[in-house]
Amino acid sequence: MKITVLDGYTLNPGDLSWDELNKLGVCTIYDRTSQEEVIERSWEAEIILTNKTVITAEHLKSLPDLKYIGVLATGYNVVDMSAAKEGNIIVTNIPAYSTPSVGQMVFAHILNICQQVQHYTEEVRNDRWTKSPDFSFTDTPLIELLGKKIGLIGLGQTGFNTARIALGFGMKVWAHTSKSRLQLPPEIKKMEIEQIFRECDVVSMHCPLTEKTSGMVNSELLSSMKPTAILINTSRGGLIDEQALADALNNQIIYAAGVDVLSTEPPQADNPLLTARNCYITPHIAWATLAARQRLMSIMNENIKAYLSGKPINVMN
């Protein structure tokens, strides 16, 4: 059986092993694959694995031997799901592998904004402290999280994990969620999205990108936030109207934003967030800790084993 990995580099840049996968079939692993190369590289493969390489209906119609697509991520929007279903092709994803790491990144951004560790480290290296007339110096707001309200837009596994971390800092946790109030622990308050944006000190995005949620964080919601508020997005870049967020930051409508995702990745050079005031951007790395990638690869192998046994798991279609 032939297995093709279309874009294995981000999952495994060299610090993990493909040995378990190689035991399951004849494997060909590519670091990256362009759209024009998908058919040629996947020819005669029964299984293809992809992270961000898009699999279109045209690709699927041209690959008669294909029976299984393993998406090496939680989101599966890179596959034309209707065409896969029509072709009786199983599509699986990797659920919950990065939950602890993403929650950690949420608070890496929050703490960076609140404490400005990088800024002060650079100032000390530039001899500002050695030349200070006082034992200490500050030139940015330093923000304590105790008692602050954090609003979570979405309360799946990552949202819940982020809530637990927030509670550990003594924050008050509000959530916009489809879950009923009876399903929530007493320390998490269910709120409407408008109230969260209006009253919370920090708003963190944890919902999927759909037609309904695309661009949901718009100028209207942003203009309702406190001027001291912080927006965090480690979910999907398309949830936010990026020009509206840049305008809100540059006009001091809100204080700061920390984002790990953008609407186009890698971003266009003219993306307004790249130069926006108090906008802190990391290059979609919340998922990429060694531990998370080890879990991803382990679940990937288990998904394929389950498919080969005739009892597929984590099936999306």
Side-chain angles (χ1 to χ4, degrees):
M1 178 185 59
K2 182 179 177 181
I3 301 173
T4 298
V5 182
L6 294 175
D7 51 0
Y9 183 81
T10 50
L11 166 58
N12 181 14
D15 54 355
L16 298 177
S17 171
W18 296 105
D19 287 352
E20 287 302 310
L21 181 65
N22 282 313
K23 294 176 183 177
L24 301 177
V26 178
C27 298
T28 305
I29 299 166
Y30 298 98
D31 284 347
R32 301 167 188 86
T33 295
S34 69
Q35 288 294 284
E36 294 74 24
E37 295 170 321
V38 169
I39 294 173
E40 177 187 354
R41 291 184 171 185
S42 303
W43 189 251
E44 296 184 337
E46 179 177 337
I47 293 174
I48 60 175
L49 304 176
T50 179
N51 188 322
K52 292 296 182 286
T53 302
V54 175
I55 309 298
T56 67
E58 181 183 351
H59 293 147
L60 297 179
K61 291 176 182 177
S62 302
L63 297 170
D65 297 311
L66 183 62
K67 300 293 187 296
Y68 175 100
I69 300 171
V71 179
L72 304 181
T74 301
Y76 48 91
N77 55 307
V78 296
V79 178
D80 187 316
M81 298 297 285
S82 296
K85 183 177 181 180
E86 183 178 340
N88 294 315
I89 299 168
I90 292 172
V91 180
T92 66
N93 75 334
I94 313 288
Y97 73 93
S98 63
T99 297
S101 294
V102 174
Q104 183 173 297
M105 178 59 87
V106 170
F107 272 85
H109 273 289
I110 292 172
L111 293 172
N112 173 59
I113 291 167
C114 291
Q115 301 293 153
Q116 292 290 311
V117 172
Q118 180 180 353
H119 165 70
Y120 286 106
T121 297
E122 291 174 352
E123 290 293 279
V124 169
R125 286 178 175 171
N126 290 330
D127 293 330
R128 184 171 172 187
W129 197 11
T130 60
K131 297 175 181 178
S132 173
D134 304 304
F135 79 95
S136 175
F137 71 88
T138 62
D139 58 8
T140 69
L142 297 176
I143 303 166
E144 183 177 272
L145 294 178
L146 180 67
K148 293 288 193 295
K149 295 188 184 79
I150 184 171
L152 307 175
I153 309 303
L155 202 62
Q157 294 189 61
T158 303
F160 260 118
N161 185 59
T162 303
R164 287 193 291 268
I165 299 171
L167 291 167
F169 277 99
M171 301 183 78
K172 299 174 182 177
V173 179
W174 292 4
H176 176 68
T177 174
S178 59
K179 295 179 174 65
S180 72
R181 295 181 188 275
L182 296 176
Q183 291 176 289
L184 302 182
E187 60 269 24
I188 300 178
K189 308 298 182 185
K190 180 172 180 173
M191 297 288 176
E192 294 300 321
I193 191 169
E194 293 80 9
Q195 186 175 7
I196 285 176
F197 273 82
R198 187 170 62 249
E199 298 186 31
C200 283
D201 303 287
V202 180
V203 177
S204 185
M205 307 302 295
H206 296 280
C207 57
L209 179 62
T210 65
E211 289 186 9
K212 184 177 180 180
T213 62
S214 179
M216 67 184 295
V217 182
N218 54 24
S219 57
E220 182 179 358
L221 277 180
L222 290 165
S223 65
S224 72
M225 298 179 79
K226 298 178 180 180
T228 55
I230 297 167
L231 178 66
I232 305 293
N233 188 16
T234 56
S235 187
R236 290 291 182 267
L239 298 172
I240 295 175
D241 180 331
E242 291 172 336
Q243 186 63 61
L245 176 56
D247 292 343
L249 291 166
N250 292 331
N251 295 319
Q252 300 185 43
I253 293 170
I254 69 172
Y255 176 60
V259 300
D260 187 55
V261 288
L262 292 173
S263 59
T264 301
E265 297 172 346
Q268 301 289 331
D270 61 353
N271 186 304
L273 294 183
L274 296 178
T275 55
R277 166 191 166 274
N278 283 1
C279 188
Y280 302 89
I281 303 173
T282 48
H284 203 148
I285 56 172
W287 70 279
T289 63
L290 177 61
R293 289 185 291 110
Q294 286 172 330
R295 281 191 293 269
L296 192 160
M297 188 168 278
S298 177
I299 297 169
M300 172 195 77
N301 290 326
E302 292 305 311
N303 281 352
I304 295 172
K305 290 176 184 177
Y307 159 71
L308 294 175
S309 72
K311 298 178 180 178
I313 57 175
N314 297 319
V315 176
M316 292 294 100
N317 61 336

